[in-house]
Amino acid sequence: DWALDGTLEVDHGDVSLRSGRHGRPHAIGRASYSTWLAMLRHELHPSVAVATGRLRGRGIGRVIVNRDLIDSMLDVFRTIPVDA
């Protein structure tokens, strides 16, 4: 289910993740499956993925500059089981 779309919501510091598209996003990030796996496994930081063009999207620049937010988001992403 997570391979196609997921919605990450940040509301006053609370971060949640749901499968599928929900609401109107302020930022959209797109990357290959292997890039997402590398970020989930701590092998690639999102800021490096953006700098190298592996992670792109609308509004992603506003998100990527907040390292604490990115780290919180990664903690939530890492709750998704991966089999690869």
Side-chain angles (χ1 to χ4, degrees):
D1 292 343
W2 293 102
L4 297 178
D5 285 303
T7 300
L8 180 81
E9 182 177 348
V10 181
D11 184 20
H12 295 89
D14 293 326
V15 181
S16 62
L17 181 64
R18 295 186 290 168
S19 179
R21 292 183 185 190
H22 303 276
R24 297 180 61 144
H26 291 99
I28 296 174
R30 300 219 183 274
S32 68
Y33 189 70
S34 61
T35 297
W36 286 115
L37 285 178
M39 288 188 289
L40 293 172
R41 292 178 175 155
H42 297 268
E43 298 166 356
L44 176 67
H45 195 275
S47 59
V48 174
V50 168
T52 58
R54 292 176 66 184
L55 173 61
R56 293 179 261 185
R58 180 179 58 81
I60 204 80
R62 292 189 316 232
V63 174
I64 209 71
V65 296
N66 187 335
R67 193 156 184 105
D68 290 338
L69 175 61
I70 291 297
D71 291 339
S72 295
M73 289 168 46
L74 286 174
D75 289 343
V76 172
F77 286 153
R78 291 182 184 118
T79 65
I80 302 171
V82 251
D83 295 329

